[in-house]
Amino acid sequence: MEKKITVKQFIDTYNAAANKQEVLESVVVNKYIPFRIKLECAKLIVENHNLINKEIKSDTGKMYLSFTASILRLYTRLEVSNTDTDLDYDLLQEQGLVDIILNTIGKDLEEYRKIFAMCEEDFRTNYLSTPSFVQRQVTRVIHVLEKYVHSLQNWLNKIDNDKINILIDEIQKQNKKQ
């Protein structure tokens, strides 16, 4: 694998180059990323920017930045900062290089964008649709009821059957009086 270069180094090299296309082609090192890797990256980005502390809170701006940074990390030898991703993005965007780099990557990027869109749609279906909301609430109620039923069952197991029968008879007598 070719050595990584910082965004600043790339911009300086690109701006100084007589053959800018050659510099672009030297930085784009992968023309194809396996499907599984694209799918996992897309899922992680969508979940990380839509689920915050297990609550649904979208941050589409950061999601866009993460998606663009993932493209740069997967397809190029650019060293995009994990902590200052926005600064690296801004440096490239200020020079008009983000779109130029993306266009240099080629057709595989279209598939990655489709996969990302599918992951976003899956998230909406799995977390934001009415059926999924109802399903999550029913599951929560079932978990709570299971605890109570289990406790009640343990309590009932400790009671003598004869005492239970006496209690049932007493309840039935009370109901007949009313």
Side-chain angles (χ1 to χ4, degrees):
M1 180 165 177
E2 292 188 43
K3 185 180 173 213
K4 296 264 186 190
I5 62 169
T6 67
V7 169
K8 177 80 171 105
Q9 289 171 324
F10 168 70
I11 290 171
D12 292 343
T13 304
Y14 181 83
N15 287 336
N19 187 345
K20 296 188 184 316
Q21 189 60 35
E22 190 175 288
V23 174
L24 280 170
E25 289 174 7
S26 74
V27 81
V28 176
V29 292
N30 293 314
K31 290 290 187 176
Y32 179 77
I33 300 296
F35 181 86
R36 178 183 49 81
I37 292 172
K38 288 183 280 209
L39 181 63
E40 289 303 313
C41 286
K43 281 182 183 179
L44 277 172
I45 293 167
V46 169
E47 288 178 6
N48 286 341
H49 295 291
N50 285 293
L51 284 177
I52 300 168
N53 297 324
K54 296 185 180 181
E55 290 185 32
I56 299 169
K57 292 185 178 177
S58 295
D59 192 340
T60 54
K62 285 186 180 177
M63 186 167 57
Y64 170 78
L65 181 64
S66 291
F67 177 65
T68 304
S70 75
I71 293 168
L72 296 172
R73 289 181 184 117
L74 289 170
Y75 291 94
T76 73
R77 62 186 185 102
L78 291 177
E79 191 175 295
V80 179
S81 171
N82 288 327
T83 55
D84 294 324
T85 307
D86 59 325
L87 299 178
D88 284 340
Y89 174 85
D90 287 340
L91 284 172
L92 289 168
Q93 190 67 356
E94 185 177 25
Q95 300 291 316
L97 291 171
V98 173
D99 287 336
I100 292 171
I101 293 169
L102 299 184
N103 289 334
T104 304
I105 291 171
K107 284 207 118 345
D108 193 53
L109 187 52
E110 290 176 33
E111 182 180 57
Y112 188 33
R113 284 182 170 137
K114 287 177 186 175
I115 291 168
F116 191 82
M118 287 186 274
C119 289
E120 285 182 298
E121 183 60 32
D122 287 348
F123 183 87
R124 281 191 286 279
T125 300
N126 294 335
Y127 288 94
L128 303 176
S129 69
T130 302
S132 69
F133 173 78
V134 170
Q135 181 182 8
R136 282 194 310 278
Q137 300 314 312
V138 167
T139 301
R140 288 175 67 193
V141 169
I142 287 171
H143 287 310
V144 169
L145 290 177
E146 283 176 344
K147 290 177 186 178
Y148 287 112
V149 168
H150 183 70
S151 296
L152 181 60
Q153 187 177 21
N154 286 339
W155 181 75
L156 289 173
N157 285 339
K158 293 176 185 175
I159 296 177
D160 183 3
N161 281 341
D162 291 334
K163 288 182 182 179
I164 291 176
N165 288 333
I166 293 169
L167 180 61
I168 292 171
D169 289 341
E170 187 63 37
I171 292 171
Q172 287 175 343
K173 286 178 190 176
Q174 291 294 325
N175 284 340
K176 286 181 184 177
K177 289 180 184 178
Q178 295 176 357

